[in-house]
Structure formats: C-alpha cells, structure tokens
Amino acid sequence: MIIERNLAKYIVFSDDSLSHTLQKISENKSGLVFVLAQNGVLEGVLTDGDFRRWLLSTEKMDLSLPAALALNKNFISIQENALPDEINRVFSERIEYIPLVDRQNRLVAIALGRQNGIQVGKFNISTDNPSFLIAEIGNNHNGNLQLAMRLVDKAVNAGADCVKFQMRDMKSVYRLPAQGDASEDLGAEYTLDLLLRFQLSNQDMFKVFDYCKRQSVLPLCTPWDTTSLQALERYGMVAYKVASPDLTNPELLEAICRTRKPIICSTGMSFESEIIGAVKLLKHHGAQFALLHCNSTYPAPFKDINLNYLDRLKELGGGCPIGYSGHDRGFAVAIAAVAKGARIIEKHFTLDRNLEGNDHRVSLLPDEFAEMVTHIREVEQSMGSAIGRKVTQGEMMNREVLGKSLLAAKPIKTGEIITAYHLEVRSPGKGLVPYKKDELIGRQASRDMVEGDFFYASDIADSATIVRNYDFERPFGIPVRYHDVATMLPLSNFNLLEFHLSYKDTGLDPAEFLQEGGYDLDFVVHSPELFEGDHIMDLCSADPKQRARSIAELQRVIDITRKLKKYFHRATRPRIIINAGGFSMDGFIPKQERTDKYALIALALSEVDSEGVEIIPQTMPPFPWHFGGQRYHNLFLDAEDIMEFCSKHRMRICLDISHSKLACNHLHTSFENFLDQVAPYCAHLHIVDAEGVDGEGLQIGDGDIDFFMVAKKLRELCPDASFIPEIWQGHKNNGEGFWIALDRLEKSFSSTSLV
C-alpha cells in the first residue's frame, strides 16, 4: 500500500467539463478521477466504466457538460487516521484506489494498492519514464561552499537530473572520541577525521540547495540523523535519500516516513532479511519508496556487484521503482543496470579524483558523467517493447534494396491464370514478398505484364485502386522521374509535376522523355540529395571541398531546370527544392553552430547563378535516413530558425508536413503553432503522414497527423501553395500510393471540404 498525497493528477471539480475529466483520466493512467466540490469535499468517483454508462443513458453527448452529471456516488472512503491493516483489507481486484478523507469528508490522500512509481519534484520515476540520474556530491565539496557550487554547475552541464548531498549532526551520529583515542578503529578514525573537517554548515548547505534551484537542477539530501532531518524539513526538501547504513535504523526510517515525502533507499551492506524488514516498515507507513541495489565497497569489485539481484529487489519491493547506486570504477555497470530495469542511477561526482577523501576515488569526473548520461539515454531509446516487432523506416529502405520480390518470369495477359511457371524470385524487394507466392498462384492476372515486371499487394487484393480526377482548392501534382511522365500524366487532372532527380538523371537528356510540344502544366524540381561517390549535398559543410562540390552540383540542377522550362507552358519562375545540408553524425549541434551554418547556406546560395528560378529549402526531419542509416539533422527544423532565415534572406520554403511533424515531436513543440509561424513562408508543400520522431513518408491516415487541422491552417496561411503527396514508394504499381493519398486528402483539402 502507498499513501499518495500529491492529488492534482487524480482530482477534478464537479463543475469541470467532461472533456477535461477524460483528459485527466487519460493522463494519470489510473482509469479514474475523484470528483470534489469547490471546498474539497469528496462528491464521487468517475471511472472509464462510469463514463461509458453515462454515454449509454444520455440522449445528448456533450463533453462540455459538467463532470457532476456522470459521477458515481456509490464509492468507498476511509478516514485518514485509519490503521494500515484496516485500509489493506478494503483492497481487492476491483478496488485499487481508496480515497482517504478527514472528518469533514474532504479528500486528503489516496491509498494505492500497488506502487507504479514515485514523484520526486517534477520527476515521475517509473518504468514508463527515463531514468532519474543523480550526481552524488555527498561531501566531495570538502567543506568548501564555492567548490560545492562549482560541482553543481558541472553536474548540470553533464546532464544530471539531481545533485545530492549529505547532512550530519556529528553529535547525534557519532560517539566522538577524545583526540588521539588509541582504542578507536583506524577506519572509523579516518572517516570521522574527514567528516569533522569537511562538513558544510546547515546554512551553507541551504545556500547550495538554493543555488541548485537557480540552476534548474533538483537538490536532494541524505539525512544521517533526526536532527538533520528536522533541519531539512524546515528547509522544505521534496524527498529523501536513505544511506545504506540506515536501512537497518528503524527509528530514522520511521521519522522520514512521517514526513510523507518520497524515499529512495540504498540497500548496500544489508542482508535480504533486513531489506524485507525495511520494506515492511515502509509499506506499513504507506510510504512512496524506491530501492537502490548497491555494493558498499570503494571501489566495488565487478565480481561482487551482482546486477541480476535487481530483479529480486523489485520483487522484494512489491514492484516499487528500483535503481543502482554504484561505487564501481567507470560507468559501464550503471549503463547495464538501466538495461536491467534500473530507473534511478546514482554515481559519485567530483572535479578531481586526487582530492582528499575516500569518495573522490570512486567518483566520476564531469566529462565521464556526461558520457554516462549520453549512453544511458541511448540505451533507454534502444530498449523498445517486448510486444511485436516493428520494421523501421530505415529497415524498409534497406529491405527494398537488399530484399527479394516475386516477378513475372514470362509475359502474362490480363485474365490469365497465374501458375508457378509464371513466377520467379529476384532482387530488389520492390514488390510482393516471396512468401506470398501461394496467395498469387491460381489468381487471374489483373493486368498485362512483361517479363521482369513486379507483382504487388494489389495483385492479391480483391479490389483495385481506381485512378480518377481530383478536386483540390490549390494546384497539385505528383512526384515523377523523366521516364514516368508518359504513363502517369494522362491518368489524372494534374496542375504540375515535381521531378525528383537522381544524380544519374542529371546526366540524361530530357528531350528523350518529354514531348516536343510541351505541356499545359507547371513544374517543380527536387534536387538530388545523394550524389556519386557517397556525396551528400551540404551547402554548409565544414569541409571546403565538400561545400564547393555541393555548390557545383546545385548549379548543375539550376541549369537543368532552366532547360526544362520550355516544356511547361505554365512555368514562370520554376521552384527548385533543396535539402540544404546541416546534418551531423553523432548528435545535434548547439544553437551558435546552427546560426553559423545558416549563414554558410545563405553565402552558398549567393554564389550560384539562380536567374529565372526560385530555390526553396525543404523543412527537415530530426533524424534523416542517408544510405539506409540514420543521421542527425540540425537546420530547418525549429520554427524560429526557419522564420529568421526566410525573413532575413527573403526566401520561401518547401514545407514538408511529415518532416516538420517529426521535428515538432522531437522538440516537444506544438505542430499547430509551427504551422502558424512557418506556413506564411511556404511556396510548395509535400503532404504525407508521420509517426514518432523518424517515421516519415507514411500513407495518409497511417500516422499521427490531423489533416483537417493542417488543411485549415494552410487554407488560412498559404492558400496559393501547390502540393504533391510524397508517399514513400508511392510510385510503385503505377502510382498506387499516390492515388490512395489523393483520395484520402480530398476529404480535407478539396474545394468542397467543410473545414
């Protein structure tokens, strides 16, 4: 049992709307909220089931109505001073949350039947969240206030979530021997001598805590005695750490429990029976607690650490959060602990391992702590889920290049029955996967095929995608290569074509593919990003040779675009979409470097002859795929950066809806606000769905984007911008992906849309 007194996420007021109430239920992940009157009196409970029952009983589903209309007044509550055993008897498979009320029936706490996590300041420590990383300064300030503050600064820069100290009232903790007492153990004598010399006064300690808050890092402290605990309570400490030696000190443990603050307990030097006893005490008091696995030797031999005990520790704690407090050399074990389920990592922190004091020798230096943080965050990202296996976008790209498909081994006529004799398996993996062979055999061919044609999913589907004319309020087209124009153009009522040039296309003669009299269309050119010799266009590369080649390649594309103009009668100033560069291999770059790179791009664009064309940089995703592997992108992600660049250099952009949604997901910013800021600078659109931070190019409706909202914003902010559906591999099977996308987009983007 856990007593939760941080009630904000579990309560609504009776006059709050049902929509707000449902949002609260979704956010707290408990399946319920408690409904209060304005004076705090508990009026009822509202669960998912209660809401469904209300829906079935009402004629008008209006989520703006007050929560009071749907609440359930038939609930169990218990007085706040009830004994733990009395509360525990009420829990059942059906009842996991029990409201605790005062004599006036005001909600004062909630008893939880099981512990999902603990809240320490702004950090929710649970399996669903990143690990809580503690830089344990302890007494490594060596009694110097300025050194303590320097340690805080370095810990913040290294990425610590929390910096932790220790407080002792020496008279309360130690039997102070007379100086030179020969009977005292040498180890105790050494430790006591250090502590007597290296303590900070309580007032200085409080100054350090205040400094932590100014530096936006959470301060915590370990009280070694009740006198120190009282001082920390007067200060307002939000949670407490219990040192390993005090896990077996029930008097101090009970005193900390009575503060009703979350508790993080180290278990070093303890027998399992002692851990069980401490957990029993913590649960008796309804404490929110976490247990840290720890080997209390300095440094701890790797053979003694026993990380597998983390699983047992979680079992002993009844599912409480677990972590690792390490005194081992380096940080490899801490990273492994995260992979084993640790959600708290505590490592000692120093500026110099040669300083006097035992803890310095087992501490991480700032650069080491920062490296540990980086690797822990990488491991957390890599953990994923044990449910199912998702093929990533990068894998899909490599699957196409390296995989195999079912192909026509000989010509096939429409209506002919397909047999094994008609099929062969070849690379690349552009078409139907080989294990679908049995589903294909025995079907009638839906189209004429020549030897080497790919089969697609539509060849085993019961209905085919129909190509038709589409109704949009803005110019639209599809992406094509030169060889697509003759077959794709007659299929629908396009206003433009967007040529996606490969580096090989730049060496072709367009006259071999385009009709001599031209077309009553506009056109856009998408410059290649990848070039021969593994060159990636980067107009802001730090390598002068790479930058010079990028500029030269862009000039070639400009020259090609000017030659194409004669074929397209509606073209006035053709637009060229570029991926301007600014990627990095191993991590994102700081803002000042971004500013410098934007300046280099502007300089590069001034060095090309762009007469008669308009160059429009494309908004980018945070994690682009290059050659089937992932990189980091730094430019044309952030709305403020894009606005500043466009305004300063009088440029417009190609707004890629998928890329920019991914960027907003990564930056934790509003996509709707992004559109408000960036869409006014938009000359052309790539419209496609997205998911997460790197799932780009998805079919419309397969990702997270609200296209009705997007349509409304674009109608207001860039009504004349043209668009294409840039579905990944949309060109396959005669553009099947494009037709599906245009059909779905028509519902929100057409001139007859109600939005």
Side-chain angles (χ1 to χ4, degrees), residues 89 115 155 219 309 452 649 676 726 735 741 744 752:
R89 281 196 293 270
Q115 184 174 358
Y309 194 73
H649 301 291
D676 284 334
E726 199 184 28
R744 294 179 181 180
T752 58

Side-chain angles (χ1 to χ4, degrees), residues 1-3 84 87-88 91 111-114 282-287:
M1 178 190 68
I2 302 299
I3 304 299
I87 299 173
N88 279 321
F91 287 118
L112 282 65
R114 54 189 174 84
L282 292 164
K283 287 186 173 182
H284 176 78
H285 287 277

Side-chain angles (χ1 to χ4, degrees), residues 10-281:
Y10 292 106
I11 63 171
V12 297
F13 292 99
S14 55
D15 56 357
D16 284 338
S17 69
L18 283 167
S19 62
H20 173 72
T21 302
L22 289 173
Q23 183 178 356
K24 268 290 183 73
I25 292 174
S26 175
E27 289 173 352
N28 68 32
K29 299 179 181 179
S30 67
L32 57 72
V33 290
F34 295 97
V35 184
L36 309 183
Q38 289 297 330
N39 61 1
V41 170
L42 179 61
E43 293 194 339
V45 63
L46 185 57
T47 67
D48 289 327
D50 294 325
F51 179 73
R52 286 194 294 271
R53 282 187 287 274
W54 175 80
L55 279 180
L56 293 173
S57 65
T58 187
E59 295 181 359
K60 181 181 179 182
M61 191 187 77
D62 183 355
L63 296 184
S64 67
L65 293 171
L69 294 178
L71 67 82
N72 182 354
K73 295 186 177 182
N74 183 23
F75 62 91
I76 295 174
S77 65
I78 294 180
Q79 289 293 306
E80 62 175 324
N81 56 0
L83 295 174
D85 288 346
E86 182 182 350
I87 299 173
N88 279 321
R89 281 196 293 270
V90 178
F91 287 118
S92 66
E93 289 186 7
R94 189 176 62 87
I95 300 175
E96 295 183 349
Y97 298 83
I98 302 172
L100 304 182
V101 298
D102 63 14
R103 292 181 179 179
Q104 286 75 42
N105 205 41
R106 292 174 299 200
L107 183 68
V108 295
I110 300 170
L112 282 65
R114 54 189 174 84
Q115 184 174 358
N116 295 323
I118 64 173
Q119 189 74 32
V120 178
K122 68 177 183 180
F123 297 94
N124 182 263
I125 302 172
S126 69
T127 55
D128 297 328
N129 292 299
S131 301
F132 182 60
L133 306 183
I134 303 172
E136 162 67 346
I137 292 173
N139 276 0
N140 279 356
H141 48 67
N142 284 23
N144 184 306
L145 178 60
Q146 296 306 312
L147 177 57
M149 291 181 175
R150 284 181 59 206
L151 283 160
V152 170
D153 288 339
K154 294 294 186 181
V156 170
N157 291 337
D161 296 317
C162 166
V163 290
K164 195 184 77 61
F165 298 87
Q166 300 175 13
M167 183 180 285
R168 294 172 176 83
D169 178 70
M170 297 300 290
K171 292 181 181 178
S172 300
V173 178
Y174 288 98
R175 178 179 73 89
L176 295 178
Q179 188 172 359
D181 185 351
S183 67
E184 194 62 51
D185 178 79
L186 289 177
E189 182 180 277
Y190 169 70
T191 300
L192 187 56
D193 173 62
L194 290 176
L195 293 174
L196 287 168
R197 289 190 291 120
F198 290 161
Q199 287 281 99
L200 282 175
S201 69
N202 287 2
Q203 290 308 310
D204 280 349
M205 189 71 80
F206 297 155
K207 289 178 182 177
V208 178
F209 297 160
D210 290 340
Y211 185 72
C212 289
K213 294 175 182 178
R214 293 198 296 273
Q215 300 306 105
S216 299
V217 69
L218 180 71
L220 286 183
C221 191
T222 296
W224 283 71
D225 53 86
T226 54
T227 303
S228 297
L229 176 63
Q230 291 164 6
L232 293 169
E233 273 294 280
R234 289 192 295 271
Y235 175 80
M237 192 59 53
V238 299
Y240 291 105
K241 168 73 194 300
V242 174
S244 291
D246 280 317
L247 194 72
T248 57
N249 182 358
E251 181 179 345
L252 180 59
L253 269 184
E254 288 181 346
I256 296 175
C257 287
R258 286 194 292 271
T259 70
R260 299 174 177 174
K261 306 285 180 62
I263 306 170
I264 300 172
C265 299
S266 281
T267 60
M269 302 183 287
S270 293
F271 295 102
E272 185 170 290
S273 60
E274 294 169 334
I275 297 172
I276 292 170
V279 167
K280 183 177 181 181
L281 184 153

